[in-house]
């Protein structure tokens, strides 16, 4: 599965190549343009959430958060982790995917995997341009951050 966030209207060819072959793509908000979702949809089914910068009319069709059951794993997708209004471990959520900070991160807390794929859009400060891949076919979720060329 491919995880991408904070494209801000820019879908790089390197991101498309990194996501090619994924069975599902999750976009954690700040999409920037509906054309980004259309382009990603040509690669695989896409589930997305609206970010704080997704204010144009097209973005009104996107939810603020999504809960998904993927096999044995319950996943919660939202843009800004600070807006998470519940304790994932208590709610049976195994994986939380967010964006917003543009900082890629993989972290386990209270048996919950927190993933931020970073920003795949325009470079911000000295932060890397990145996305993530997530595998759910083993005994535990396996995440990998992918740094993209500028």
């Amino acid at each position: 599965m491919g995880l991408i966030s904070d494209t801000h209207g820019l879908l790089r060819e390197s991101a498309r190549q990194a996501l090619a072959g994924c069975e599902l793509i999750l976009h954690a908000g700040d999409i920037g343009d509906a054309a980004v979702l259309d382009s990603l949809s040509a690669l695989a089914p896409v589930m997305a959430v609206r970010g704080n910068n997704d204010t144009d009319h097209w973005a009104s069709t996107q939810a603020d958060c999504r809960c998904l059951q993927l096999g044995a794993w319950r996943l919660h997708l939202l843009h800004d982790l600070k807006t998470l209004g519940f304790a994932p471990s208590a709610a049976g959520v195994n994986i939380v995917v967010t964006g917003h900070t543009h900082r890629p991160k993989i972290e386990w807390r209270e048996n919950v995997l927190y993933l931020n794929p970073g920003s795949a859009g325009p470079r911000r400060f000295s932060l890397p341009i990145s996305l993530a891949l997530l595998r759910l076919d083993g005994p535990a979720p396996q995440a990998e951050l992918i740094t993209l060329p500028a």
Side-chain angles (χ1 to χ4, degrees):
M1 167 183 337
L3 309 176
I4 191 167
S5 186
D6 296 277
T7 49
H8 294 276
L10 173 62
L11 184 60
R12 299 166 185 276
E13 183 57 30
S14 57
R16 290 178 46 80
Q17 291 173 4
L19 296 170
C22 289
E23 294 179 10
L24 177 65
I25 299 170
L26 303 181
H27 196 304
D30 278 358
I31 302 157
D33 192 317
V36 169
L37 296 179
D38 293 340
S39 186
L40 289 171
S41 294
L43 300 172
V46 176
M47 300 205 70
V49 293
R50 180 177 47 238
N52 59 297
N53 289 303
D54 295 324
T55 57
D56 291 339
H57 179 12
W58 65 267
S60 65
T61 62
Q62 299 301 319
D64 290 325
C65 63
R66 294 184 185 271
C67 229
L68 310 163
Q69 186 73 42
L70 300 171
W73 309 105
R74 187 169 165 92
L75 187 143
H76 193 76
L77 175 66
L78 73 160
H79 181 61
D80 186 352
L81 184 59
K82 291 180 181 177
T83 65
L84 183 65
F86 64 94
S89 59
V93 171
N94 310 105
I95 304 164
V96 175
V97 177
T98 65
H100 188 61
T101 66
H102 293 226
R103 289 180 178 86
K105 190 171 192 176
I106 299 172
E107 180 180 35
W108 283 93
R109 286 188 276 159
E110 298 180 15
N111 294 320
V112 176
L113 177 59
Y114 289 82
L115 293 169
N116 185 327
S119 172
R123 181 180 293 283
R124 184 174 181 194
F125 311 116
S126 61
L127 296 171
I129 300 163
S130 63
L131 53 78
L133 300 177
L134 177 64
R135 294 184 56 112
L136 301 176
D137 56 355
Q142 299 292 315
E144 174 186 8
L145 294 171
I146 305 294
T147 300
L148 303 173

